Amino acid sequence: MVTDTPASVLDRVRQNVQEVTDPEIPVLTIADLGVLRSVELIDSEVVVTITPTYSGCPAMAHIESQVRQAIKLAGASGRVVTVFSPPWSTDFITVAGREKLEAYGIAPPHPAAHGSAGTGSTVHIRPAIRCPQCGSTNTKIISEFGSTACKALYQCQACAEPFDYFKEL
Amino acid sequence: MADPHELYTFLLRVGDDNLILAQRLGELVSWMPELEEDIAVANVALDHLGQARNVLTYAARMAGPDASEDTLAMERSEREFLNAVLVEQPNGDFGQTMARQLFVDAYQVPFYEALATSSDDTVAGIAAKAVKEARYHLARSSNWVVVLGDGTDESHQRMQAGIDAMWRYTADLFFTDETEEALQQAGILPSFDNIRGTFDDTVSSVLARGLLALPEDPYQRIGGRTGFHTEHLGHLLPDMQALHRANAGASW
């Protein structure tokens, strides 16, 4: 029987945890999203740190239980810690994650401007959003609040398809 | 050094604002004038509920081993809730709902911006996250207030009626006492001096664009921060708490 070293256990946990996906956007892993902050060994216990996208994101409880399961499947024992700081931003979504989003039919977020959606502003100054179906930038916003907390609803004026935009935060 | 009880009281004030408003907004789901607005109101309610959960979970750590976000939300009675009286006001028509929301959002953006500089890392982290959500809320509510105010005669009239009905509950948002003072002296909370000014600037700019005005009646009803509520909270709580109280200790 091969004896596990702490480092090999940690590697295995990291590999499993990185593959946990978002239940609402199943093409994205929590690593792609930037929800996974770290996988560490602290006093021979695995500690996985995650951060929520939105305060009320209903997927967090599910993600947390999936992470616990992933730790268990790696034959390790550990815990999941949720942190708020620094606050999650769409800028944490990886390049690979952005490509997966677009291929899935969700327009990826533009860079988050500090203080976006300004104080009392009624106009969003946001560059044109590209339609993930046909690539046209002739698109219009239907609603700033879409099917989940993190998305806005757009429609393409060229191909007429409605689509989700992962709004910058 | 500030008493942990003071931080607990302050957290209830913040958490209860969000919890009670989330419950009010939740009542509107499936009743909004159009599908997109229905989704938007559910999103905004969810953000407020998430903020309430984060704050009350932290508060529960100071309330003994048996306390949790659920016991704080579901097992306190009316006098123990410390939300501002504005958030417990009924939804009324869409104009009243949006007037209430504009006042809450115009307050929460500068409030959370200040709170994000708290020396308490948990408080600062929760606020830094919440302020991003509050900015989206403010963009939506200001937009609706302007659109309705500068719309038809009827939409203008009803938007103005909403502003008139809700304005008298806004001073309660800014009520502070020895609780905040002690936390500020202990260096835990930052100064809240600029919040009122920013709120007034935001509100007057949005109302001006919507061709609306603040009512002349200077009367303000305060008391929520110390547990003295308007009659509406007493009707909201049984609705919110019935399931939990009927199934004490259940989990699913």
Side-chain angles (χ1 to χ4, degrees):
Chain A
M1 192 178 149
V2 183
T3 318
D4 268 336
T5 64
S8 70
V9 172
L10 192 62
D11 275 349
R12 221 161 47 223
V13 171
R14 188 172 284 130
Q15 200 143 28
N16 282 2
V17 168
Q18 277 172 351
E19 283 166 16
V20 170
T21 54
D22 181 319
E24 298 192 57
I25 312 172
V27 290
L28 289 191
T29 67
I30 57 174
D32 292 330
L33 265 172
V35 161
L36 179 62
R37 282 272 159 88
S38 61
V39 181
E40 299 164 296
L41 207 56
I42 299 174
D43 299 333
S44 71
E45 188 191 31
V46 176
V47 178
V48 177
T49 306
I50 56 176
T51 192
T53 53
Y54 279 72
S55 298
C57 181
M60 282 312 279
H62 180 78
I63 288 174
E64 203 180 312
S65 78
Q66 293 292 101
V67 169
R68 272 205 204 94
Q69 185 71 11
I71 297 171
K72 215 174 176 181
L73 285 174
S77 71
R79 62 198 162 95
V80 185
V81 176
T82 299
V83 296
F84 295 109
S85 191
W88 182 83
S89 158
T90 40
D91 294 349
F92 292 133
I93 300 178
T94 61
V95 174
R98 284 161 198 273
E99 285 165 3
K100 288 185 203 171
L101 270 178
E102 192 159 26
Y104 188 60
I106 299 172
H110 282 288
H114 180 69
S116 63
T119 309
S121 161
T122 55
V123 182
H124 283 277
I125 302 167
R126 180 185 280 161
I129 307 299
R130 202 158 67 102
C131 170
Q133 310 293 339
C134 75
S136 168
T137 51
N138 182 14
T139 58
K140 66 170 182 184
I141 188 159
I142 303 290
S143 174
E144 197 59 72
F145 294 85
S147 55
T148 66
C150 55
K151 286 177 269 172
L153 188 60
Y154 272 72
Q155 186 176 21
C156 178
Q157 316 256 60
C159 72
E161 282 290 320
F163 65 91
D164 275 332
Y165 167 64
F166 204 120
K167 64 190 178 197
E168 68 283 350
L169 186 79
Chain B
M1 206 41 211
D3 190 313
H5 187 73
E6 281 153 354
L7 184 56
Y8 174 72
T9 301
F10 174 73
L11 291 172
L12 290 187
R13 289 174 176 176
V14 180
D16 289 349
D17 274 358
N18 286 295
L19 177 65
I20 301 303
L21 184 59
Q23 176 69 15
R24 274 288 182 240
L25 294 174
E27 292 169 8
L28 292 169
V29 173
S30 85
W31 288 94
M32 284 279 100
E34 57 183 27
L35 183 60
E36 287 75 12
E37 239 352 88
D38 212 61
I39 292 165
V41 82
N43 267 280
V44 174
L46 188 61
D47 286 343
H48 286 300
L49 186 64
Q51 293 164 16
R53 292 187 60 188
N54 294 341
V55 173
L56 294 180
T57 298
Y58 188 39
R61 284 206 243 152
M62 289 152 222
D66 297 329
S68 69
E69 52 170 328
D70 283 338
T71 63
L72 289 182
M74 301 302 174
E75 295 174 16
R76 280 180 300 147
S77 60
E78 188 185 340
R79 283 293 308 279
E80 297 167 291
F81 273 81
L82 303 183
N83 57 281
V85 289
L86 176 66
V87 298
E88 71 206 27
Q89 297 310 307
N91 292 320
D93 65 5
F94 192 63
Q96 179 163 321
T97 297
M98 278 304 144
R100 187 186 61 202
Q101 194 66 36
L102 171 67
F103 296 146
V104 170
D105 299 340
Y107 158 75
Q108 282 195 334
V109 170
F111 173 70
Y112 282 141
E113 274 170 359
L115 210 56
T117 67
S118 166
S119 66
D120 181 308
D121 289 343
T122 306
V123 170
I126 292 170
K129 172 140 243 26
V131 72
K132 294 174 165 216
E133 295 155 4
R135 289 192 188 110
Y136 271 109
H137 300 171
L138 179 57
R140 167 173 169 268
S141 57
S142 347
N143 196 26
W144 271 119
V145 169
V146 172
V147 164
L148 295 171
D150 188 11
T152 64
D153 285 347
E154 188 181 356
S155 78
H156 174 83
Q157 214 171 44
R158 289 172 68 170
M159 193 61 245
Q160 184 62 58
I163 299 285
D164 293 348
M166 293 296 104
W167 179 250
R168 72 186 59 176
Y169 303 110
T170 51
D172 209 25
L173 292 168
F174 302 93
F175 175 90
T176 56
D177 58 14
E178 63 277 4
T179 299
E180 284 80 5
E181 207 174 294
L183 291 165
Q184 282 162 338
Q185 272 168 10
I188 294 170
L189 290 185
S191 156
F192 289 159
D193 288 351
N194 297 325
I195 299 174
R196 180 75 214 217
T198 308
F199 168 88
D200 286 333
D201 289 349
T202 305
V203 168
S204 59
S205 127
V206 172
L207 294 191
R209 276 185 287 140
L211 313 176
L212 299 156
L214 289 178
E216 278 166 22
D217 184 354
Y219 174 74
Q220 288 287 330
R221 163 66 159 90
I222 59 169
R225 300 296 189 204
T226 49
F228 292 95
H229 293 278
T230 59
E231 67 174 297
H232 307 294
L233 185 66
H235 296 276
L236 177 149
L237 290 180
D239 197 28
M240 183 174 87
Q241 298 177 334
L243 191 67
H244 179 93
R245 286 181 185 262
N247 300 277
S251 71
W252 55 80

